[in-house]
Amino acid sequence: MNTKHYFTVATQALIASTLILAMLGAGYLFAEPQVGRAQATSTFTISQLITGEISFLVYGATTTLSGPLNGITGGTANGSTSVKVQTNSATGYVMDIKFATTSTGNAMQASNNPTASIHDLPASSTEPHYLFSTASTAAVFGYTISAPQASDIAQAFLDDSSGACNQPGGDANEDTCWMEPSFANYRVVDRDSAATIGATTTIHFRVHVPNNPAPGLVADTYVATATLTAANQ
């Protein structure tokens, strides 16, 4: 037996077997690429839409101004109500106020006499009056607002501390900028951030009756009805 020939054939067979196994292994790795890696990754996202909501946590309450006023010798009465708005809008919310239309054209009307009313505070349809004006010879009714966070207050109620309201970047001095009631919505709050635990606004009301008002006031209970509307920005 030729031993040299035998080892040559055996060596060739071994080499051929090794090549076949290598080719089979390469084919498997090509068909199953993940087996040939040290690690694998898969990246994806999970999303959930959260809708915006807004509601009143505290509603405006029926308000009785401080004490009766004399219809002839006059005086001043004040009152207020607070509301709390909750919203998850990242850009905040706005709130408007409007007063119900009456037969007299003034917001505050006598309950039992449809021809008698307390006049609206002389101001402007576009901006409040600086300080509550008592110059009118008629009894007058007006409102203003305040908030723990001054930046919530609409620009119309911000003042320059020297005689003018509706000042961009102005001061939120309490009981300073007084507005006449309007039968159309008027902006009182303009908040630019969410209020997930609620934001409070207080609306202040005032009636002033001068001595011997003209026109005169009949004895009655005078009532105004206001509506607040809050909406997400």
Side-chain angles (χ1 to χ4, degrees), residues 100-142:
T101 304
T102 68
S103 60
T104 62
N106 294 311
M108 183 165 276
Q109 183 172 307
S111 298
N112 302 304
N113 190 331
T115 63
S117 63
I118 294 175
H119 285 204
D120 298 336
L121 176 72
S124 164
S125 60
T126 58
E127 65 182 54
H129 190 279
Y130 189 83
L131 301 180
F132 191 98
S133 174
T134 59
S136 174
T137 58
V140 291
F141 165 62

PDB file of all heavy atoms in Angstrom, residues 100-142:
ATOM      1  N   ALA A 100     -76.736  90.043  30.851  1.00  0.00           N
ATOM      2  CA  ALA A 100     -77.998  89.809  30.143  1.00  0.00           C
ATOM      3  C   ALA A 100     -78.618  91.129  29.700  1.00  0.00           C
ATOM      4  O   ALA A 100     -78.530  92.150  30.394  1.00  0.00           O
ATOM      5  CB  ALA A 100     -78.968  89.052  31.037  1.00  0.00           C
ATOM      6  N   THR A 101     -79.230  91.093  28.541  1.00  0.00           N
ATOM      7  CA  THR A 101     -79.934  92.261  28.018  1.00  0.00           C
ATOM      8  C   THR A 101     -81.195  92.521  28.834  1.00  0.00           C
ATOM      9  O   THR A 101     -81.898  91.604  29.229  1.00  0.00           O
ATOM     10  CB  THR A 101     -80.321  92.038  26.549  1.00  0.00           C
ATOM     11  OG1 THR A 101     -79.146  91.738  25.811  1.00  0.00           O
ATOM     12  CG2 THR A 101     -80.999  93.258  25.966  1.00  0.00           C
ATOM     13  N   THR A 102     -81.458  93.782  29.113  1.00  0.00           N
ATOM     14  CA  THR A 102     -82.673  94.154  29.845  1.00  0.00           C
ATOM     15  C   THR A 102     -83.485  95.145  29.013  1.00  0.00           C
ATOM     16  O   THR A 102     -82.999  95.712  28.034  1.00  0.00           O
ATOM     17  CB  THR A 102     -82.337  94.812  31.200  1.00  0.00           C
ATOM     18  OG1 THR A 102     -81.723  96.087  30.947  1.00  0.00           O
ATOM     19  CG2 THR A 102     -81.399  93.947  32.012  1.00  0.00           C
ATOM     20  N   SER A 103     -84.712  95.353  29.431  1.00  0.00           N
ATOM     21  CA  SER A 103     -85.587  96.263  28.677  1.00  0.00           C
ATOM     22  C   SER A 103     -85.107  97.708  28.763  1.00  0.00           C
ATOM     23  O   SER A 103     -85.430  98.526  27.901  1.00  0.00           O
ATOM     24  CB  SER A 103     -87.022  96.154  29.211  1.00  0.00           C
ATOM     25  OG  SER A 103     -87.057  96.502  30.593  1.00  0.00           O
ATOM     26  N   THR A 104     -84.329  98.026  29.807  1.00  0.00           N
ATOM     27  CA  THR A 104     -83.868  99.408  29.978  1.00  0.00           C
ATOM     28  C   THR A 104     -82.547  99.680  29.270  1.00  0.00           C
ATOM     29  O   THR A 104     -82.132 100.832  29.143  1.00  0.00           O
ATOM     30  CB  THR A 104     -83.686  99.720  31.467  1.00  0.00           C
ATOM     31  OG1 THR A 104     -82.667  98.848  31.998  1.00  0.00           O
ATOM     32  CG2 THR A 104     -84.964  99.514  32.241  1.00  0.00           C
ATOM     33  N   GLY A 105     -81.854  98.625  28.841  1.00  0.00           N
ATOM     34  CA  GLY A 105     -80.538  98.820  28.232  1.00  0.00           C
ATOM     35  C   GLY A 105     -79.426  98.944  29.249  1.00  0.00           C
ATOM     36  O   GLY A 105     -78.260  99.087  28.883  1.00  0.00           O
ATOM     37  N   ASN A 106     -79.743  98.884  30.544  1.00  0.00           N
ATOM     38  CA  ASN A 106     -78.746  98.869  31.606  1.00  0.00           C
ATOM     39  C   ASN A 106     -78.719  97.477  32.227  1.00  0.00           C
ATOM     40  O   ASN A 106     -79.739  96.802  32.322  1.00  0.00           O
ATOM     41  CB  ASN A 106     -79.086  99.907  32.675  1.00  0.00           C
ATOM     42  CG  ASN A 106     -78.997 101.325  32.147  1.00  0.00           C
ATOM     43  OD1 ASN A 106     -78.005 101.706  31.522  1.00  0.00           O
ATOM     44  ND2 ASN A 106     -80.039 102.115  32.364  1.00  0.00           N
ATOM     45  N   ALA A 107     -77.532  97.029  32.644  1.00  0.00           N
ATOM     46  CA  ALA A 107     -77.395  95.650  33.122  1.00  0.00           C
ATOM     47  C   ALA A 107     -78.175  95.383  34.408  1.00  0.00           C
ATOM     48  O   ALA A 107     -78.687  94.293  34.607  1.00  0.00           O
ATOM     49  CB  ALA A 107     -75.920  95.330  33.340  1.00  0.00           C
ATOM     50  N   MET A 108     -78.270  96.380  35.289  1.00  0.00           N
ATOM     51  CA  MET A 108     -78.914  96.173  36.593  1.00  0.00           C
ATOM     52  C   MET A 108     -80.299  96.819  36.579  1.00  0.00           C
ATOM     53  O   MET A 108     -80.437  98.036  36.492  1.00  0.00           O
ATOM     54  CB  MET A 108     -78.048  96.738  37.715  1.00  0.00           C
ATOM     55  CG  MET A 108     -78.597  96.497  39.101  1.00  0.00           C
ATOM     56  SD  MET A 108     -77.372  96.777  40.424  1.00  0.00           S
ATOM     57  CE  MET A 108     -76.516  95.194  40.438  1.00  0.00           C
ATOM     58  N   GLN A 109     -81.326  95.980  36.687  1.00  0.00           N
ATOM     59  CA  GLN A 109     -82.710  96.437  36.563  1.00  0.00           C
ATOM     60  C   GLN A 109     -83.505  96.097  37.810  1.00  0.00           C
ATOM     61  O   GLN A 109     -83.248  95.099  38.492  1.00  0.00           O
ATOM     62  CB  GLN A 109     -83.354  95.765  35.347  1.00  0.00           C
ATOM     63  CG  GLN A 109     -84.783  96.216  35.078  1.00  0.00           C
ATOM     64  CD  GLN A 109     -85.301  95.659  33.761  1.00  0.00           C
ATOM     65  OE1 GLN A 109     -84.664  95.823  32.720  1.00  0.00           O
ATOM     66  NE2 GLN A 109     -86.440  94.994  33.798  1.00  0.00           N
ATOM     67  N   ALA A 110     -84.485  96.942  38.111  1.00  0.00           N
ATOM     68  CA  ALA A 110     -85.360  96.701  39.252  1.00  0.00           C
ATOM     69  C   ALA A 110     -86.174  95.432  39.034  1.00  0.00           C
ATOM     70  O   ALA A 110     -86.705  95.192  37.952  1.00  0.00           O
ATOM     71  CB  ALA A 110     -86.283  97.898  39.463  1.00  0.00           C
ATOM     72  N   SER A 111     -86.263  94.602  40.080  1.00  0.00           N
ATOM     73  CA  SER A 111     -86.950  93.313  39.962  1.00  0.00           C
ATOM     74  C   SER A 111     -88.432  93.459  39.665  1.00  0.00           C
ATOM     75  O   SER A 111     -89.009  92.664  38.912  1.00  0.00           O
ATOM     76  CB  SER A 111     -86.767  92.514  41.263  1.00  0.00           C
ATOM     77  OG  SER A 111     -85.407  92.233  41.495  1.00  0.00           O
ATOM     78  N   ASN A 112     -89.052  94.468  40.253  1.00  0.00           N
ATOM     79  CA  ASN A 112     -90.508  94.605  40.152  1.00  0.00           C
ATOM     80  C   ASN A 112     -90.962  95.788  39.319  1.00  0.00           C
ATOM     81  O   ASN A 112     -92.148  96.093  39.270  1.00  0.00           O
ATOM     82  CB  ASN A 112     -91.114  94.697  41.559  1.00  0.00           C
ATOM     83  CG  ASN A 112     -90.763  93.481  42.410  1.00  0.00           C
ATOM     84  OD1 ASN A 112     -91.033  92.344  42.013  1.00  0.00           O
ATOM     85  ND2 ASN A 112     -90.142  93.721  43.555  1.00  0.00           N
ATOM     86  N   ASN A 113     -90.003  96.453  38.695  1.00  0.00           N
ATOM     87  CA  ASN A 113     -90.348  97.623  37.893  1.00  0.00           C
ATOM     88  C   ASN A 113     -89.476  97.628  36.637  1.00  0.00           C
ATOM     89  O   ASN A 113     -88.327  98.068  36.672  1.00  0.00           O
ATOM     90  CB  ASN A 113     -90.123  98.906  38.704  1.00  0.00           C
ATOM     91  CG  ASN A 113     -90.682 100.124  38.008  1.00  0.00           C
ATOM     92  OD1 ASN A 113     -90.757 100.173  36.783  1.00  0.00           O
ATOM     93  ND2 ASN A 113     -91.065 101.132  38.785  1.00  0.00           N
ATOM     94  N   PRO A 114     -89.986  97.137  35.522  1.00  0.00           N
ATOM     95  CA  PRO A 114     -89.174  96.987  34.313  1.00  0.00           C
ATOM     96  C   PRO A 114     -88.698  98.295  33.693  1.00  0.00           C
ATOM     97  O   PRO A 114     -87.885  98.276  32.776  1.00  0.00           O
ATOM     98  CB  PRO A 114     -90.108  96.229  33.357  1.00  0.00           C
ATOM     99  CG  PRO A 114     -91.489  96.528  33.850  1.00  0.00           C
ATOM    100  CD  PRO A 114     -91.379  96.653  35.327  1.00  0.00           C
ATOM    101  N   THR A 115     -89.165  99.411  34.192  1.00  0.00           N
ATOM    102  CA  THR A 115     -88.718 100.698  33.635  1.00  0.00           C
ATOM    103  C   THR A 115     -87.646 101.356  34.490  1.00  0.00           C
ATOM    104  O   THR A 115     -87.131 102.422  34.129  1.00  0.00           O
ATOM    105  CB  THR A 115     -89.907 101.667  33.498  1.00  0.00           C
ATOM    106  OG1 THR A 115     -90.441 101.950  34.790  1.00  0.00           O
ATOM    107  CG2 THR A 115     -90.990 101.068  32.606  1.00  0.00           C
ATOM    108  N   ALA A 116     -87.312 100.756  35.621  1.00  0.00           N
ATOM    109  CA  ALA A 116     -86.324 101.345  36.531  1.00  0.00           C
ATOM    110  C   ALA A 116     -85.026 100.540  36.472  1.00  0.00           C
ATOM    111  O   ALA A 116     -85.041  99.303  36.416  1.00  0.00           O
ATOM    112  CB  ALA A 116     -86.856 101.365  37.948  1.00  0.00           C
ATOM    113  N   SER A 117     -83.904 101.247  36.487  1.00  0.00           N
ATOM    114  CA  SER A 117     -82.612 100.564  36.417  1.00  0.00           C
ATOM    115  C   SER A 117     -81.517 101.435  37.008  1.00  0.00           C
ATOM    116  O   SER A 117     -81.689 102.647  37.193  1.00  0.00           O
ATOM    117  CB  SER A 117     -82.268 100.215  34.969  1.00  0.00           C
ATOM    118  OG  SER A 117     -82.136 101.403  34.188  1.00  0.00           O
ATOM    119  N   ILE A 118     -80.396 100.800  37.299  1.00  0.00           N
ATOM    120  CA  ILE A 118     -79.179 101.509  37.687  1.00  0.00           C
ATOM    121  C   ILE A 118     -78.293 101.576  36.454  1.00  0.00           C
ATOM    122  O   ILE A 118     -78.049 100.563  35.794  1.00  0.00           O
ATOM    123  CB  ILE A 118     -78.469 100.782  38.845  1.00  0.00           C
ATOM    124  CG1 ILE A 118     -79.340 100.841  40.102  1.00  0.00           C
ATOM    125  CG2 ILE A 118     -77.095 101.384  39.106  1.00  0.00           C
ATOM    126  CD1 ILE A 118     -78.797 100.068  41.277  1.00  0.00           C
ATOM    127  N   HIS A 119     -77.826 102.741  36.124  1.00  0.00           N
ATOM    128  CA  HIS A 119     -77.078 102.925  34.886  1.00  0.00           C
ATOM    129  C   HIS A 119     -75.744 102.172  34.906  1.00  0.00           C
ATOM    130  O   HIS A 119     -75.138 101.980  35.956  1.00  0.00           O
ATOM    131  CB  HIS A 119     -76.823 104.414  34.643  1.00  0.00           C
ATOM    132  CG  HIS A 119     -78.039 105.155  34.184  1.00  0.00           C
ATOM    133  ND1 HIS A 119     -77.971 106.340  33.461  1.00  0.00           N
ATOM    134  CD2 HIS A 119     -79.366 104.892  34.323  1.00  0.00           C
ATOM    135  CE1 HIS A 119     -79.195 106.749  33.187  1.00  0.00           C
ATOM    136  NE2 HIS A 119     -80.054 105.886  33.710  1.00  0.00           N
ATOM    137  N   ASP A 120     -75.312 101.772  33.721  1.00  0.00           N
ATOM    138  CA  ASP A 120     -73.978 101.188  33.582  1.00  0.00           C
ATOM    139  C   ASP A 120     -72.917 102.254  33.831  1.00  0.00           C
ATOM    140  O   ASP A 120     -73.079 103.411  33.428  1.00  0.00           O
ATOM    141  CB  ASP A 120     -73.790 100.615  32.175  1.00  0.00           C
ATOM    142  CG  ASP A 120     -74.767  99.480  31.873  1.00  0.00           C
ATOM    143  OD1 ASP A 120     -75.245  98.840  32.830  1.00  0.00           O
ATOM    144  OD2 ASP A 120     -75.043  99.251  30.677  1.00  0.00           O
ATOM    145  N   LEU A 121     -71.830 101.847  34.473  1.00  0.00           N
ATOM    146  CA  LEU A 121     -70.731 102.774  34.736  1.00  0.00           C
ATOM    147  C   LEU A 121     -70.232 103.398  33.438  1.00  0.00           C
ATOM    148  O   LEU A 121     -69.919 102.684  32.490  1.00  0.00           O
ATOM    149  CB  LEU A 121     -69.578 102.023  35.402  1.00  0.00           C
ATOM    150  CG  LEU A 121     -68.306 102.830  35.671  1.00  0.00           C
ATOM    151  CD1 LEU A 121     -68.528 103.814  36.800  1.00  0.00           C
ATOM    152  CD2 LEU A 121     -67.140 101.891  35.969  1.00  0.00           C
ATOM    153  N   PRO A 122     -70.162 104.727  33.359  1.00  0.00           N
ATOM    154  CA  PRO A 122     -69.635 105.342  32.131  1.00  0.00           C
ATOM    155  C   PRO A 122     -68.157 104.990  31.961  1.00  0.00           C
ATOM    156  O   PRO A 122     -67.319 105.396  32.750  1.00  0.00           O
ATOM    157  CB  PRO A 122     -69.821 106.839  32.375  1.00  0.00           C
ATOM    158  CG  PRO A 122     -70.827 106.942  33.476  1.00  0.00           C
ATOM    159  CD  PRO A 122     -70.603 105.728  34.332  1.00  0.00           C
ATOM    160  N   ALA A 123     -67.877 104.189  30.974  1.00  0.00           N
ATOM    161  CA  ALA A 123     -66.484 103.832  30.675  1.00  0.00           C
ATOM    162  C   ALA A 123     -66.315 103.858  29.171  1.00  0.00           C
ATOM    163  O   ALA A 123     -66.567 104.866  28.532  1.00  0.00           O
ATOM    164  CB  ALA A 123     -66.145 102.458  31.263  1.00  0.00           C
ATOM    165  N   SER A 124     -65.923 102.780  28.594  1.00  0.00           N
ATOM    166  CA  SER A 124     -65.736 102.688  27.154  1.00  0.00           C
ATOM    167  C   SER A 124     -66.056 101.271  26.747  1.00  0.00           C
ATOM    168  O   SER A 124     -65.878 100.333  27.522  1.00  0.00           O
ATOM    169  CB  SER A 124     -64.288 103.033  26.775  1.00  0.00           C
ATOM    170  OG  SER A 124     -63.999 102.612  25.468  1.00  0.00           O
ATOM    171  N   SER A 125     -66.525 101.101  25.544  1.00  0.00           N
ATOM    172  CA  SER A 125     -66.821  99.751  25.075  1.00  0.00           C
ATOM    173  C   SER A 125     -65.553  98.951  24.817  1.00  0.00           C
ATOM    174  O   SER A 125     -65.605  97.741  24.632  1.00  0.00           O
ATOM    175  CB  SER A 125     -67.649  99.818  23.788  1.00  0.00           C
ATOM    176  OG  SER A 125     -66.922 100.518  22.784  1.00  0.00           O
ATOM    177  N   THR A 126     -64.396  99.626  24.817  1.00  0.00           N
ATOM    178  CA  THR A 126     -63.144  98.936  24.506  1.00  0.00           C
ATOM    179  C   THR A 126     -62.201  98.801  25.691  1.00  0.00           C
ATOM    180  O   THR A 126     -61.359  97.910  25.702  1.00  0.00           O
ATOM    181  CB  THR A 126     -62.392  99.669  23.380  1.00  0.00           C
ATOM    182  OG1 THR A 126     -62.136 101.022  23.778  1.00  0.00           O
ATOM    183  CG2 THR A 126     -63.217  99.661  22.096  1.00  0.00           C
ATOM    184  N   GLU A 127     -62.299  99.676  26.691  1.00  0.00           N
ATOM    185  CA  GLU A 127     -61.400  99.540  27.835  1.00  0.00           C
ATOM    186  C   GLU A 127     -62.012 100.142  29.096  1.00  0.00           C
ATOM    187  O   GLU A 127     -62.867 101.028  29.044  1.00  0.00           O
ATOM    188  CB  GLU A 127     -60.052 100.183  27.561  1.00  0.00           C
ATOM    189  CG  GLU A 127     -60.080 101.687  27.385  1.00  0.00           C
ATOM    190  CD  GLU A 127     -58.693 102.239  27.075  1.00  0.00           C
ATOM    191  OE1 GLU A 127     -58.056 101.751  26.123  1.00  0.00           O
ATOM    192  OE2 GLU A 127     -58.252 103.157  27.793  1.00  0.00           O
ATOM    193  N   PRO A 128     -61.570  99.635  30.257  1.00  0.00           N
ATOM    194  CA  PRO A 128     -62.116 100.120  31.531  1.00  0.00           C
ATOM    195  C   PRO A 128     -61.729 101.567  31.832  1.00  0.00           C
ATOM    196  O   PRO A 128     -60.842 102.143  31.214  1.00  0.00           O
ATOM    197  CB  PRO A 128     -61.493  99.159  32.554  1.00  0.00           C
ATOM    198  CG  PRO A 128     -61.088  97.955  31.767  1.00  0.00           C
ATOM    199  CD  PRO A 128     -60.677  98.490  30.421  1.00  0.00           C
ATOM    200  N   HIS A 129     -62.410 102.109  32.838  1.00  0.00           N
ATOM    201  CA  HIS A 129     -62.146 103.463  33.333  1.00  0.00           C
ATOM    202  C   HIS A 129     -61.153 103.359  34.494  1.00  0.00           C
ATOM    203  O   HIS A 129     -61.267 102.485  35.344  1.00  0.00           O
ATOM    204  CB  HIS A 129     -63.462 104.093  33.811  1.00  0.00           C
ATOM    205  CG  HIS A 129     -63.363 105.549  34.128  1.00  0.00           C
ATOM    206  ND1 HIS A 129     -62.857 106.018  35.326  1.00  0.00           N
ATOM    207  CD2 HIS A 129     -63.706 106.649  33.414  1.00  0.00           C
ATOM    208  CE1 HIS A 129     -62.903 107.334  35.338  1.00  0.00           C
ATOM    209  NE2 HIS A 129     -63.411 107.748  34.190  1.00  0.00           N
ATOM    210  N   TYR A 130     -60.184 104.264  34.515  1.00  0.00           N
ATOM    211  CA  TYR A 130     -59.225 104.276  35.623  1.00  0.00           C
ATOM    212  C   TYR A 130     -59.909 104.812  36.883  1.00  0.00           C
ATOM    213  O   TYR A 130     -60.375 105.964  36.905  1.00  0.00           O
ATOM    214  CB  TYR A 130     -58.023 105.146  35.269  1.00  0.00           C
ATOM    215  CG  TYR A 130     -56.883 105.045  36.267  1.00  0.00           C
ATOM    216  CD1 TYR A 130     -55.962 104.008  36.184  1.00  0.00           C
ATOM    217  CD2 TYR A 130     -56.740 105.985  37.274  1.00  0.00           C
ATOM    218  CE1 TYR A 130     -54.913 103.910  37.089  1.00  0.00           C
ATOM    219  CE2 TYR A 130     -55.695 105.891  38.183  1.00  0.00           C
ATOM    220  CZ  TYR A 130     -54.782 104.844  38.095  1.00  0.00           C
ATOM    221  OH  TYR A 130     -53.751 104.755  39.000  1.00  0.00           O
ATOM    222  N   LEU A 131     -59.991 103.997  37.878  1.00  0.00           N
ATOM    223  CA  LEU A 131     -60.719 104.243  39.125  1.00  0.00           C
ATOM    224  C   LEU A 131     -62.228 104.295  38.845  1.00  0.00           C
ATOM    225  O   LEU A 131     -62.663 104.541  37.717  1.00  0.00           O
ATOM    226  CB  LEU A 131     -60.253 105.521  39.826  1.00  0.00           C
ATOM    227  CG  LEU A 131     -58.761 105.555  40.191  1.00  0.00           C
ATOM    228  CD1 LEU A 131     -58.428 106.874  40.893  1.00  0.00           C
ATOM    229  CD2 LEU A 131     -58.368 104.376  41.057  1.00  0.00           C
ATOM    230  N   PHE A 132     -62.999 104.047  39.864  1.00  0.00           N
ATOM    231  CA  PHE A 132     -64.453 104.026  39.727  1.00  0.00           C
ATOM    232  C   PHE A 132     -64.971 105.459  39.717  1.00  0.00           C
ATOM    233  O   PHE A 132     -64.830 106.198  40.694  1.00  0.00           O
ATOM    234  CB  PHE A 132     -65.079 103.239  40.886  1.00  0.00           C
ATOM    235  CG  PHE A 132     -66.533 102.932  40.708  1.00  0.00           C
ATOM    236  CD1 PHE A 132     -66.957 101.703  40.233  1.00  0.00           C
ATOM    237  CD2 PHE A 132     -67.498 103.877  41.023  1.00  0.00           C
ATOM    238  CE1 PHE A 132     -68.302 101.408  40.075  1.00  0.00           C
ATOM    239  CE2 PHE A 132     -68.843 103.609  40.860  1.00  0.00           C
ATOM    240  CZ  PHE A 132     -69.248 102.367  40.384  1.00  0.00           C
ATOM    241  N   SER A 133     -65.559 105.858  38.612  1.00  0.00           N
ATOM    242  CA  SER A 133     -66.013 107.239  38.473  1.00  0.00           C
ATOM    243  C   SER A 133     -67.341 107.452  39.207  1.00  0.00           C
ATOM    244  O   SER A 133     -68.302 106.714  38.995  1.00  0.00           O
ATOM    245  CB  SER A 133     -66.184 107.593  37.001  1.00  0.00           C
ATOM    246  OG  SER A 133     -66.751 108.887  36.865  1.00  0.00           O
ATOM    247  N   THR A 134     -67.373 108.460  40.049  1.00  0.00           N
ATOM    248  CA  THR A 134     -68.611 108.841  40.744  1.00  0.00           C
ATOM    249  C   THR A 134     -69.126 110.190  40.244  1.00  0.00           C
ATOM    250  O   THR A 134     -69.933 110.848  40.900  1.00  0.00           O
ATOM    251  CB  THR A 134     -68.367 108.907  42.268  1.00  0.00           C
ATOM    252  OG1 THR A 134     -67.340 109.870  42.545  1.00  0.00           O
ATOM    253  CG2 THR A 134     -67.955 107.561  42.814  1.00  0.00           C
ATOM    254  N   ALA A 135     -68.642 110.593  39.068  1.00  0.00           N
ATOM    255  CA  ALA A 135     -69.015 111.910  38.536  1.00  0.00           C
ATOM    256  C   ALA A 135     -70.438 111.941  37.998  1.00  0.00           C
ATOM    257  O   ALA A 135     -71.048 113.006  37.902  1.00  0.00           O
ATOM    258  CB  ALA A 135     -68.039 112.312  37.436  1.00  0.00           C
ATOM    259  N   SER A 136     -70.989 110.795  37.652  1.00  0.00           N
ATOM    260  CA  SER A 136     -72.332 110.758  37.076  1.00  0.00           C
ATOM    261  C   SER A 136     -73.372 111.185  38.101  1.00  0.00           C
ATOM    262  O   SER A 136     -73.268 110.881  39.299  1.00  0.00           O
ATOM    263  CB  SER A 136     -72.649 109.342  36.582  1.00  0.00           C
ATOM    264  OG  SER A 136     -73.986 109.255  36.142  1.00  0.00           O
ATOM    265  N   THR A 137     -74.400 111.873  37.635  1.00  0.00           N
ATOM    266  CA  THR A 137     -75.509 112.245  38.521  1.00  0.00           C
ATOM    267  C   THR A 137     -76.477 111.080  38.717  1.00  0.00           C
ATOM    268  O   THR A 137     -77.357 111.155  39.565  1.00  0.00           O
ATOM    269  CB  THR A 137     -76.281 113.432  37.930  1.00  0.00           C
ATOM    270  OG1 THR A 137     -76.775 113.088  36.632  1.00  0.00           O
ATOM    271  CG2 THR A 137     -75.381 114.660  37.818  1.00  0.00           C
ATOM    272  N   ALA A 138     -76.301 110.019  37.925  1.00  0.00           N
ATOM    273  CA  ALA A 138     -77.137 108.828  38.048  1.00  0.00           C
ATOM    274  C   ALA A 138     -76.429 107.776  38.891  1.00  0.00           C
ATOM    275  O   ALA A 138     -75.200 107.788  39.038  1.00  0.00           O
ATOM    276  CB  ALA A 138     -77.447 108.260  36.661  1.00  0.00           C
ATOM    277  N   ALA A 139     -77.207 106.866  39.454  1.00  0.00           N
ATOM    278  CA  ALA A 139     -76.630 105.700  40.113  1.00  0.00           C
ATOM    279  C   ALA A 139     -75.959 104.840  39.049  1.00  0.00           C
ATOM    280  O   ALA A 139     -76.476 104.693  37.938  1.00  0.00           O
ATOM    281  CB  ALA A 139     -77.720 104.905  40.818  1.00  0.00           C
ATOM    282  N   VAL A 140     -74.774 104.271  39.375  1.00  0.00           N
ATOM    283  CA  VAL A 140     -74.018 103.515  38.371  1.00  0.00           C
ATOM    284  C   VAL A 140     -73.548 102.175  38.936  1.00  0.00           C
ATOM    285  O   VAL A 140     -73.330 102.006  40.143  1.00  0.00           O
ATOM    286  CB  VAL A 140     -72.801 104.312  37.860  1.00  0.00           C
ATOM    287  CG1 VAL A 140     -73.253 105.502  37.019  1.00  0.00           C
ATOM    288  CG2 VAL A 140     -71.923 104.775  39.015  1.00  0.00           C
ATOM    289  N   PHE A 141     -73.369 101.214  38.024  1.00  0.00           N
ATOM    290  CA  PHE A 141     -72.955  99.862  38.362  1.00  0.00           C
ATOM    291  C   PHE A 141     -71.799  99.457  37.444  1.00  0.00           C
ATOM    292  O   PHE A 141     -71.867  99.623  36.235  1.00  0.00           O
ATOM    293  CB  PHE A 141     -74.128  98.904  38.166  1.00  0.00           C
ATOM    294  CG  PHE A 141     -73.771  97.437  38.138  1.00  0.00           C
ATOM    295  CD1 PHE A 141     -73.206  96.817  39.242  1.00  0.00           C
ATOM    296  CD2 PHE A 141     -74.004  96.678  36.990  1.00  0.00           C
ATOM    297  CE1 PHE A 141     -72.878  95.459  39.218  1.00  0.00           C
ATOM    298  CE2 PHE A 141     -73.694  95.317  36.955  1.00  0.00           C
ATOM    299  CZ  PHE A 141     -73.126  94.711  38.070  1.00  0.00           C
ATOM    300  N   GLY A 142     -70.703  98.930  38.037  1.00  0.00           N
ATOM    301  CA  GLY A 142     -69.561  98.492  37.241  1.00  0.00           C
ATOM    302  C   GLY A 142     -68.853  97.325  37.900  1.00  0.00           C
ATOM    303  O   GLY A 142     -69.216  96.879  38.993  1.00  0.00           O
TER     304      GLY A 142
END
